[in-house]
Amino acid sequence: MKKILAVVLLIFSMQVLFAQVLEPVKWNGKIEKISDTEYNLIYEATIEDHWHLYSQNLPEGGAIPTEFIYNENVVSKDFELIGKATESESTTKFDKVFEMEMTYFDYEATFTQKIKVLNPELSTIEVEVSYQACDDAKCIFQSKTVDFQIKKETKNESKILDPVKWTSSVYTLGKNEYEIEYTAVLDDKWHIYSQDNTDPMGPIATEIKFKNENKDFELVGGLRESKSIEKFEKAFDMVVKYFTNQAVFTQKIKVLNTDLKTIESEAYFQACDDEKCLAPAFVEFKTNLKDAKTRIAVDNTNSIDETNRNSKGLWSIFFIAFLSGFAALLTPCVFPMIPMTVSFFTKQSKSKAAGIKNAIIYGLCIIVIYVLLGTAVTGIFGADALNALATNVWFNLIFFLLLVVFAFSFLGAFEIMLPNSWANKVDSQANRGGMVGIFFMALALAIVSFSCTGPIVGTLLVEAASKGGLAPIIGMLGFSMAIALPFALFAAFPGWLNSLPKSGGWLNTVKVVLGFLELALAFKFLSQADLVLQMHLLEREVFIAIWIAIFGTLALYLFGKIQLPHDSPLTHISVGRLSLGLVVLSFTIYMIPGLWGAPLNLISAFPPPLDYSESPYGVGNSKGGGSSASSDHSDLPEGAHLLAPHDILAFNDYDLGLAYAKKVNKPVMIDFTGWACVNCRKMEQNVWPKPNILNALKNDVVLISLYVDDKRLLEEDEVVDSKLREGKKLKYIGQKWSEFQTIKYKSNTQPYYVLMDHNEENLIEPVAFTLDANEYYNWLKTGIDNFK
């Protein structure tokens, strides 16, 4: 009997022991402030391996769903639930335990419940979480209490955020070469942007700049970065790349001055979360080379990431270059050379096999020549130097002029020729036998056809420059393969030569069409420069009008209504020419509604964005809400403009705006914003257009919009010492406003709205991003009433 009792007690003890040990789910609660009254209660579950935590939404007859139980008395008195708790990504599949489809979480789960606080004194919220967890053999059912502490901000509490922490480390590679790694660790839900975001209307790209005035070292290759996330961002109307959690940037350097001890550099970046953005910030580094760790083999993890990251862009460059090579084949300088050259090889060779072999070698030599050109461009300027130049205002202007010259050359104004002496010298070498002679024949083709291929090659190199890295080499590979392919194929199948169309005026037509396309592309680079400088000389309507004129003229040319210098007399229009003319005419007609505000999705990557226009609502459209702040656009106050698309009278200069507010006796609303601020645009597009808010912005306040990421240089007399970065000067307009916001309002987030009187005293506590239009209007109305 005693033995039986001992066994029962042992079994009972083991059950108690196991009941204490089995806690496969750990819960943690975080609270996130949305506005003064709204919060997110975030439940974070960490789940042990092989265990499942079940969703809130399960079919009957299965596992017990996860449930959040709130005290009904507390909910009705202190706060209210807004909607149902949302869940992180889950898995739905057949569950062997319950023999049915179940939805569950592995490793971790997050549940988010939005609430609205009704009791301002509420400081703690307790919630009971009831849940079931199972593995393949057993299940447990438990309840846990999760506490949330609501932090009350004091009036003078600083709102300066610092969600990105930077560190640097250095590794020696031997032979005076080093790798410097810059690591950015980001707070939860914050992100910074990749260096690949080069569009001026996109987000602020992360940059690493080096101080190297004495040329003590040189950069080897470009700045590599860890793998980024790529997605379409509606606010920017483009695909952007960004990092979450962590970003690593790596730069290889070679030290030229052996006495050098420290590498000085600076990171320039902007951080955003889902609700707000911070002003672009600088972080300085002083990396001591004595601290370098030994790295026997270069860690090429980032290189692999870089390859994956750029492979898509390189493939697109290759494909475009390949098509451009075929276009070059159909020009008067190249097309007639195909039958002549192939016939030469087949007749001069002792056998058909030898002719094919020589033609293939000839094609390979063409590829080698053009790839060497791309390699030379990359080697001379550096793998990523061209990328940096392509985003520079002056080089965009140079590219514009270069493409205009190429276009006029194709249109017949003049021919771009290499010196005849080059062709003569190369042609003399082509008489030599063997592979050397074949190579010089290929070089002769490249030189003789330069007047046709030069503009195409130049355009490709310009486009490849905006990609950086190996893009010029890949571009030349694609282009030369298209040029070389016909020579090898027709040498192998000489009978095909009879099917080639005869040379004639159609070749010049191809050349002219390419000229019009290059002319249209040129204005993309001019538009890029105008966007960066914010000069508004080439706004959307002007750009579209220029393209309509270019493609409309091309349509007239294809229909035979216009003739250019090198055109042959046109007695009739071929079916192919007529079809192309109809396509171009249709495209021209398609663009016309763009003058009236149509988005033109087919060409959205080329013209300036909709808000960079004379009238975002379209030409001749006066759409707006509320009464106009100034019906006479020509009689605007000094420094003022009408903010599109709502025609709100706005200033970008603080002093001029404040002076005007005093003159008209209205309060001031400061709008700390940014060109790359996603949520600023959301506020302007979703909240400001509400009739009551728009009427107040137009008639009851003076709006001063201060762009913290404005990269235009300050006037010389405005350049002052930074109060936040010792020993540094404020160089840009955006830096001036960013520092002003940080010092005066102890905040560095955008959007950020301040209502103040003429003594620059706040009429009400400033607010940030909120899509609750009623809450925003109440804030606006209270501040205005306090002024009155």
Side-chain angles (χ1 to χ4, degrees):
M1 185 66 182
K2 289 182 179 179
K3 290 183 179 180
I4 295 174
L5 182 60
V7 171
V8 171
L9 288 173
L10 177 61
I11 294 173
F12 178 77
S13 299
M14 291 176 66
Q15 288 179 335
V16 172
L17 179 63
F18 286 143
Q20 291 174 341
V21 170
L22 292 179
E23 191 178 353
V25 183
K26 304 290 191 304
W27 288 91
N28 181 46
K30 288 174 30 179
I31 191 163
E32 179 183 69
K33 184 175 182 179
I34 302 174
S35 66
D36 289 341
T37 58
E38 291 182 331
Y39 296 84
N40 277 332
L41 303 182
I42 302 173
Y43 303 86
E44 296 178 335
T46 303
I47 308 161
E48 291 182 1
D49 288 351
H50 308 300
W51 285 84
H52 304 316
L53 172 69
Y54 292 94
S55 167
Q56 303 171 93
N57 310 304
L58 295 179
E60 294 184 2
I64 298 173
T66 301
E67 183 180 7
F68 303 96
I69 304 170
Y70 300 86
N71 186 312
E72 292 185 3
N73 294 327
V74 174
V75 170
S76 60
K77 182 179 67 174
D78 291 337
F79 65 92
E80 64 181 11
L81 306 179
I82 301 176
K84 189 177 179 180
T86 59
E87 302 178 350
S88 56
E89 188 175 352
S90 57
T91 301
T92 301
K93 61 195 276 189
F94 185 80
D95 191 303
K96 291 188 291 186
V97 176
F98 297 99
E99 297 185 346
M100 61 191 302
E101 291 279 333
M102 302 294 290
T103 301
Y104 58 85
F105 305 92
D106 290 326
Y107 305 114
E108 61 182 13
T110 302
F111 303 85
T112 304
Q113 174 66 61
K114 187 176 181 181
I115 66 168
K116 184 172 184 178
V117 174
L118 305 176
N119 176 12
E121 302 301 321
L122 182 65
S123 59
T124 303
I125 298 175
E126 293 184 354
V127 184
E128 182 182 352
V129 183
S130 173
Y131 66 96
Q132 184 173 21
C134 299
D135 64 6
D136 292 337
K138 53 190 172 295
C139 293
I140 59 128
F141 177 77
Q142 289 184 344
S143 294
K144 291 287 181 183
T145 300
V146 180
D147 294 333
F148 298 92
Q149 303 295 325
I150 300 179
K151 182 182 177 183
K152 298 296 180 181
E153 289 183 353
T154 62
K155 188 171 183 179
N156 295 323
E157 183 176 358
S158 173
K159 299 177 183 177
I160 298 175
L161 300 177
D162 186 21
V164 186
K165 305 295 187 297
W166 287 87
T167 57
S168 70
S169 54
V170 60
Y171 299 89
T172 179
L173 306 176
K175 298 182 180 179
N176 291 328
E177 290 188 337
Y178 297 84
E179 268 193 346
I180 304 179
E181 282 187 356
Y182 301 90
T183 302
V185 178
L186 293 84
D187 288 351
D188 190 32
K189 298 187 178 179
W190 284 85
H191 53 265
I192 61 176
Y193 295 95
S194 165
Q195 60 182 329
D196 289 348
N197 298 299
T198 56
D199 194 305
M201 295 307 292
I204 299 292
T206 302
E207 297 178 56
I208 304 290
K209 298 180 180 179
F210 291 85
K211 184 179 179 181
N212 190 21
E213 297 173 356
N214 298 324
K215 307 297 181 183
D216 292 323
F217 61 92
E218 63 181 11
L219 305 183
V220 181
L223 182 71
R224 293 178 288 139
E225 60 183 41
S226 53
K227 190 173 182 180
S228 58
I229 297 170
E230 185 174 2
K231 61 177 272 189
F232 180 83
E233 177 56 66
K234 189 175 180 181
F236 295 120
D237 194 27
M238 66 180 71
V239 175
V240 301
K241 294 181 179 180
Y242 62 88
F243 305 94
T244 60
N245 301 322
Q246 179 175 292
V248 180
F249 300 87
T250 306
Q251 178 64 60
K252 186 177 178 181
I253 67 167
K254 183 171 184 177
V255 173
L256 305 177
N257 176 8
T258 55
D259 294 330
L260 183 67
K261 305 301 182 187
T262 304
I263 302 291
E264 295 186 24
S265 53
E266 184 177 66
Y268 176 69
F269 67 99
Q270 184 173 32
C272 299
D273 67 2
D274 292 335
E275 296 179 356
K276 54 191 171 293
C277 288
L278 305 185
F282 294 87
V283 173
E284 296 177 347
F285 303 96
K286 289 187 178 180
T287 307
N288 194 333
L289 296 180
K290 288 185 177 180
D291 296 334
K293 302 172 185 177
T294 302
R295 179 173 280 176
I296 299 174
V298 178
D299 181 4
N300 51 7
T301 301
N302 289 344
S303 299
I304 295 170
D305 291 337
E306 180 79 8
T307 302
N308 293 334
R309 182 168 54 84
N310 286 331
S311 59
K312 185 177 179 181
L314 292 178
W315 273 111
S316 66
I317 281 287
F318 178 85
F319 182 70
I320 293 171
F322 194 76
L323 293 180
S324 301
F326 274 120
L329 279 172
L330 303 178
T331 58
C333 313
V334 182
F335 187 80
M337 300 289 290
I338 298 175
M340 291 171 53
T341 307
V342 171
S343 297
F344 171 81
F345 281 122
T346 54
K347 290 178 181 178
Q348 297 297 320
S349 302
K350 295 180 180 180
S351 64
K352 182 180 178 181
I356 295 173
K357 173 186 173 184
N358 290 337
I360 292 174
I361 294 173
Y362 181 73
L364 291 175
C365 288
I366 293 173
I367 293 174
V368 169
I369 289 167
Y370 282 102
V371 169
L372 285 175
L373 175 62
T375 305
V377 170
T378 304
I380 292 170
F381 293 100
D384 287 324
L386 283 171
N387 181 29
L389 295 179
T391 60
N392 180 279
V393 171
W394 290 108
F395 276 87
N396 271 289
L397 293 175
I398 291 172
F399 291 160
F400 164 71
L401 293 174
L402 195 62
L403 292 186
V404 169
V405 170
F406 290 160
F408 284 175
S409 171
F410 270 158
L411 294 176
F414 49 82
E415 285 193 359
I416 303 174
M417 301 286 292
L418 292 176
N420 289 328
S421 59
W422 292 17
N424 295 333
K425 289 180 180 179
V426 169
D427 193 49
S428 64
Q429 295 295 322
N431 294 324
R432 300 171 60 180
M435 293 185 60
V436 174
I438 295 174
F439 175 82
F440 278 100
M441 284 185 65
L443 185 58
L445 171 70
I447 293 174
V448 171
S449 64
F450 184 79
S451 60
C452 291
T453 58
I456 300 176
V457 169
T459 305
L460 278 174
L461 289 175
V462 167
E463 278 295 293
S466 65
K467 301 292 182 183
L470 298 175
I473 300 174
I474 298 299
M476 289 300 94
L477 177 63
F479 178 84
S480 58
M481 284 182 67
I483 293 284
L485 193 60
F487 293 96
L489 289 176
F490 283 115
F493 305 99
W496 289 3
L497 289 174
N498 297 325
S499 63
L500 279 180
K502 293 182 179 180
S503 300
W506 67 273
L507 291 175
N508 190 67
T509 301
V510 172
K511 191 176 175 182
V512 170
V513 170
L514 292 174
F516 277 105
L517 293 177
E518 292 219 350
L519 188 60
L521 180 61
F523 283 93
K524 169 61 178 173
F525 290 94
L526 185 61
S527 170
Q528 193 95 329
D530 183 61
L531 282 168
V532 172
L533 294 174
Q534 290 292 301
M535 295 181 67
H536 290 267
L537 297 176
L538 193 60
E539 293 180 321
R540 185 179 176 86
E541 293 89 348
V542 178
F543 183 97
I544 293 173
I546 291 172
W547 268 39
I548 290 172
I550 291 173
F551 285 97
T553 305
L554 175 57
L556 292 175
Y557 172 79
L558 291 171
F559 291 140
K561 302 301 180 183
I562 296 174
Q563 282 198 323
L564 292 174
H566 295 116
D567 286 332
S568 303
L570 188 65
T571 57
H572 66 280
I573 300 176
S574 66
V575 174
R577 182 166 179 160
L578 177 63
S579 301
L580 182 60
L582 290 174
V583 170
V584 173
L585 180 61
S586 301
F587 178 65
T588 304
I589 296 172
Y590 165 79
M591 287 191 291
I592 292 175
L595 298 173
W596 281 265
L600 304 182
N601 292 329
L602 285 179
I603 58 170
S604 60
F606 289 93
L610 283 166
D611 57 351
Y612 193 78
S613 59
E614 295 178 7
S615 174
Y617 286 127
V619 176
N621 195 327
S622 59
K623 182 180 176 181
S627 55
S628 176
S630 178
S631 58
D632 184 1
H633 292 197
S634 64
D635 192 28
L636 294 175
E638 181 186 359
H641 64 279
L642 293 180
L643 182 65
H646 312 300
D647 286 346
I648 303 170
L649 186 71
F651 292 82
N652 293 132
D653 185 278
Y654 180 82
D655 295 326
L656 291 176
L658 180 58
Y660 180 74
K662 292 177 180 178
K663 180 180 178 181
V664 297
N665 195 32
K666 292 181 181 180
V668 171
M669 189 179 104
I670 305 177
D671 165 30
F672 288 102
T673 183
W675 296 112
C677 174
V678 176
N679 288 295
C680 301
R681 303 294 88 79
K682 288 181 180 179
M683 290 292 293
E684 293 160 11
Q685 294 166 11
N686 299 308
V687 177
W688 285 16
K690 303 298 181 184
N692 53 352
I693 294 174
L694 189 55
N695 184 67
L697 293 176
K698 285 190 169 187
N699 300 291
D700 299 331
V701 300
V702 173
L703 177 65
I704 303 177
S705 294
L706 303 179
Y707 288 84
V708 300
D709 56 0
D710 191 333
K711 292 189 72 174
R712 289 177 297 165
L713 292 172
L714 287 164
E715 298 292 337
E716 287 186 13
D717 58 345
E718 293 182 311
V719 175
V720 296
D721 292 330
S722 171
K723 297 179 181 178
L724 298 177
R725 302 170 64 226
E726 187 176 349
K728 298 292 183 179
K729 298 281 188 182
L730 298 181
K731 297 188 296 184
Y732 304 115
I733 293 175
Q735 289 178 322
K736 174 182 176 181
W737 300 134
S738 173
E739 189 157 296
F740 171 63
Q741 180 190 1
T742 304
I743 294 172
K744 185 172 177 64
Y745 298 104
K746 303 296 187 290
S747 174
N748 59 346
T749 64
Q750 293 80 45
Y752 193 73
Y753 305 104
V754 177
L755 275 173
M756 70 178 194
D757 60 20
H758 299 159
N759 295 319
E760 302 179 66
E761 297 293 334
N762 290 354
L763 297 167
I764 188 174
E765 279 294 302
V767 298
F769 174 76
T770 173
L771 290 178
D772 188 328
N774 291 329
E775 180 182 333
Y776 189 79
Y777 174 71
N778 291 334
W779 171 82
L780 196 59
K781 186 175 183 300
T782 302
I784 294 170
D785 291 342
N786 290 340
F787 176 80
K788 295 177 180 179

